Amino acid sequence: MAHMHSPHGTPPGPQPIPGVDAIIAIGSGKGGVGKTTISVNLAVALARLGHKVGLLDADVYGPNIPLMLGTSATPQIGDGNRIEPVDKHGIKVISVGFLNPGDKPLIWRGPMLHSLIKQFLEQVHWGELEYLVVDLPPGTGDVAISLIQTVPLTGAVVAATPSDVALQDARKAIEMFRQVKVDILGLVENMSAFHCPHCHQEVDIFSKGGGERTARQFGIPFLGAIDLDPEVRRRSDSGNPIALEGEESEHAKAFYDFARRVMERTQAAQAAAGENVIQIQ
Amino acid sequence: MAHMHSPHGTPPGPQPIPGVDAIIAIGSGKGGVGKTTISVNLAVALARLGHKVGLLDADVYGPNIPLMLGTSATPQIGDGNRIEPVDKHGIKVISVGFLNPGDKPLIWRGPMLHSLIKQFLEQVHWGELEYLVVDLPPGTGDVAISLIQTVPLTGAVVAATPSDVALQDARKAIEMFRQVKVDILGLVENMSAFHCPHCHQEVDIFSKGGGERTARQFGIPFLGAIDLDPEVRRRSDSGNPIALEGEESEHAKAFYDFARRVMERTQAAQAAAGENVIQIQ
């Protein structure tokens, strides 16, 4: 009776994080489609648009967010033994890369990862956030499932490139989110058209348009296409995500359009969840 | 005494597959670097160079090899209840995609995958092979480790793109193979230079040269750079890997150079293993 949270009780289902309004996961059926680039630039764009934003790098096998944000800080332990997220480019960041810097791989089995993610959610002092963006590991494996079962997700974004091979895997990710009853906010097509910086002609390196087609086929919203732009990659490699350039930058604009669609879809998902509560009454 | 292999005995370590000379795993620290494209074109190139080749698609979460080879055949059950691999483009192929076609994801936990992979190795009728190429799942997780512990690997190839982010993950893959004592045949850089098909100028979309630098830094052989070529992607999406064009094709040549280096390094690894046996005597 005295303690609301018994440490030895039955593990509860996903519990809301106090103070965090919306938790949005970025997933992909396949790695290398730019899921982390999308997560980082979404977080930066939301922050630049005036929101309080957190970013959780849950890609335990490839935690590239510290590199993309240009930070190798160590999170400090604050009041009540809570982990303080690192503040960078106006967003609160936690990454497994902070705990395991350097080249050593995390050769961990599923259950260990589950408890790590739980700790990241429950023991990190996120404070007041309007959006917590979670960069999931790619694929439909153990870690993605553990995460989905641990985090009370408002919704998920599926990232894909337009190649047939990447879309084949994206369809699997859509089916995974459906099976575990996570609302899919929509699909974003990354590495879409490429414009040669020399002759300005368009080259469909990874094809084009397949993302929108796949979204239509599965009846989920299409959240936009982001061009394959060497400047985006350079800015990621240098720790200064392109979205820092602001909405007016031609290289960053697509990320802001995408961020606005994510905001709209998140509000719709929150409103629908509210309606469900009323229906239960 | 009567049975050499007790089904209930202590599980043995990796056991050679009778008739298979060399087993080569293709791994990557990160998905989407073209590991499967490299596996498929390596297998086709080795076959075109006159070798008996098998290809095992062990990327259980993204089994794209059937799509890239243009086959959706179902393996038949042959003599002695053994699974007959599918014959395509002159190589013997087994993929989890044959067992699980369509869009349903394989939401399986580690131990189930372990037994699936064991079955693929022990119950498939591979016959006489000079090379069995194994397309590992990306990353350093459960499945990659299970595989490495199950398959008696001759050596591993690490695939990476030249971006800093991909190389950060490639270093983790190198360390993983070292920790589990797998001989690293070398590193291959994929999506290297891009030449605009319109103006023929070079664009470093994913950067360039980082693969060779990383190989040198870790003291492992560099197996070559493969350009980012839209024709390679188109051929993969259409089920006719570019290596089918033969060594004279400008789009395929880099894969043949890479295949020859893999052959040399495999022979060196086999010779070194032979020497070790002599030293023990």
Side-chain angles (χ1 to χ4, degrees), chain A residues 26-36 59 135-141 158-174 176 191 206, chain B residues 28 30-37 59 61-65 67-68 135-136 138 191 233 237:
Chain A
I26 316 293
S28 67
K30 183 177 168 62
V33 300
K35 182 179 53 55
T36 302
D59 189 350
D135 185 22
L136 292 179
T140 55
V158 175
T161 68
S163 81
D164 288 351
V165 164
L167 290 168
Q168 183 181 49
D169 295 341
R171 287 193 283 270
K172 289 194 165 62
I174 293 169
M176 175 186 72
M191 305 191 195
F206 293 106
Chain B
S28 67
K30 183 176 170 62
V33 301
K35 181 179 54 55
T36 302
T37 302
D59 189 349
Y61 297 122
N64 302 126
I65 282 182
L67 179 67
M68 285 200 195
D135 185 22
L136 292 179
M191 305 191 196
R233 193 266 312 155
D237 275 356

Side-chain angles (χ1 to χ4, degrees), chain A residues 29-33 61-64 67-68 100 102-110 139-142 145-146 149 162-165 168-169 171-173 175-176 179-180 191 194 196-199 201-207 217-218 228 230 233-234 236-237, chain B residues 29-33 61-64 67-68 100 102-110 139-142 145-146 149 162-165 168-169 171-173 175-176 179-180 191 194 196-199 201-207 217-218 228 230 233-234 236-237:
Chain A
K30 183 177 168 62
V33 300
Y61 297 121
N64 302 127
L67 178 68
M68 284 199 195
N100 178 49
D103 296 334
K104 295 288 168 203
L106 262 184
I107 310 186
W108 287 5
R109 296 287 179 175
T140 55
D142 274 27
I145 301 160
S146 284
Q149 290 171 342
S163 81
D164 288 351
V165 164
Q168 183 181 49
D169 295 341
R171 287 193 283 270
K172 289 194 165 62
E175 290 288 353
M176 175 186 72
Q179 279 187 29
V180 295
M191 305 191 195
F194 170 78
C196 176
H198 301 295
C199 68
Q201 291 209 58
E202 188 172 318
V203 188
D204 292 343
I205 296 183
F206 293 106
S207 185
Q217 187 189 338
F218 280 84
L228 178 60
R233 194 267 312 156
R234 269 193 291 275
S236 292
D237 275 356
Chain B
K30 183 176 170 62
V33 301
Y61 297 122
N64 302 126
L67 179 67
M68 285 200 195
N100 179 51
D103 296 334
K104 295 288 168 203
L106 262 184
I107 311 188
W108 287 4
R109 297 288 180 174
T140 55
D142 275 28
I145 301 160
S146 284
Q149 289 171 343
S163 81
D164 288 353
V165 164
Q168 183 181 49
D169 294 342
R171 287 193 283 271
K172 288 193 166 61
E175 291 288 352
M176 174 186 73
Q179 280 186 29
V180 295
M191 305 191 196
F194 170 77
C196 176
H198 301 296
C199 68
Q201 291 207 59
E202 188 173 319
V203 188
D204 292 342
I205 296 182
F206 292 106
S207 185
Q217 187 190 339
F218 279 83
L228 177 60
R233 193 266 312 155
R234 268 192 292 273
S236 292
D237 275 356

Side-chain angles (χ1 to χ4, degrees), chain A:
Chain A
M1 293 287 282
H3 297 282
M4 292 290 285
H5 301 280
S6 160
H8 301 292
T10 319
Q15 295 293 309
I17 306 176
V20 177
D21 294 343
I23 306 183
I24 298 163
I26 316 293
S28 67
K30 183 177 168 62
V33 300
K35 182 179 53 55
T36 302
T37 302
I38 283 171
S39 301
V40 163
N41 284 291
L42 172 62
V44 170
L46 289 171
R48 290 285 154 124
L49 292 171
H51 298 290
K52 291 179 186 142
V53 180
L55 179 58
L56 170 58
D57 183 1
D59 189 350
V60 285
Y61 297 121
N64 302 127
I65 283 183
L67 178 68
M68 284 199 195
L69 289 175
T71 176
S72 55
T74 304
Q76 304 297 306
I77 304 298
D79 289 346
N81 225 8
R82 301 191 76 184
I83 303 165
E84 292 294 329
V86 169
D87 214 305
K88 186 78 190 190
H89 302 312
I91 49 186
K92 291 182 178 175
V93 187
I94 280 289
S95 167
V96 68
F98 291 147
L99 310 179
N100 178 49
D103 296 334
K104 295 288 168 203
L106 262 184
I107 310 186
W108 287 5
R109 296 287 179 175
M112 291 169 67
L113 293 168
H114 187 89
S115 64
L116 180 76
I117 296 300
K118 261 185 87 70
Q119 197 177 15
F120 275 176
L121 288 162
E122 293 169 3
Q123 285 184 249
V124 170
H125 181 225
W126 290 109
E128 300 287 322
L129 293 181
E130 289 164 89
Y131 295 95
L132 176 58
V133 177
V134 180
D135 185 22
L136 292 179
T140 55
D142 274 27
V143 183
I145 301 160
S146 284
L147 260 162
I148 293 164
Q149 290 171 342
T150 309
V151 188
L153 294 175
T154 310
V157 171
V158 175
T161 68
S163 81
D164 288 351
V165 164
L167 290 168
Q168 183 181 49
D169 295 341
R171 287 193 283 270
K172 289 194 165 62
I174 293 169
E175 290 288 353
M176 175 186 72
F177 285 121
R178 287 191 168 164
Q179 279 187 29
V180 295
K181 315 274 184 221
V182 170
D183 192 9
I184 300 175
L185 302 178
L187 185 147
V188 59
E189 178 176 295
N190 193 33
M191 305 191 195
S192 192
F194 170 78
H195 295 90
C196 176
H198 301 295
C199 68
H200 304 290
Q201 291 209 58
E202 188 172 318
V203 188
D204 292 343
I205 296 183
F206 293 106
S207 185
K208 196 182 145 188
E212 188 159 11
R213 211 163 49 237
T214 301
R216 203 180 311 120
Q217 187 189 338
F218 280 84
I220 61 174
F222 182 61
L223 300 173
I226 291 166
D227 280 0
L228 178 60
D229 179 347
E231 187 62 18
V232 171
R233 194 267 312 156
R234 269 193 291 275
R235 296 292 299 254
S236 292
D237 275 356
S238 76
N240 291 294
I242 195 76
L244 291 172
E245 292 296 297
E247 197 159 4
E248 303 310 312
S249 153
E250 58 166 324
H251 299 290
K253 189 175 177 310
F255 286 107
Y256 282 84
D257 294 344
F258 162 64
R260 289 186 189 279
R261 290 195 194 100
V262 170
M263 286 161 56
E264 284 167 22
R265 289 282 302 138
T266 302
Q267 283 157 17
Q270 287 168 324
E275 275 171 26
N276 286 344
V277 172
I278 290 164
Q279 284 169 0
I280 288 164
Q281 292 177 329

Side-chain angles (χ1 to χ4, degrees), chain B residues 4-16 114 118 122 149-151:
Chain B
M4 292 291 287
H5 300 279
S6 161
H8 302 292
T10 318
Q15 296 292 309
H114 187 88
K118 259 183 90 70
E122 294 169 4
Q149 289 171 343
T150 309
V151 188

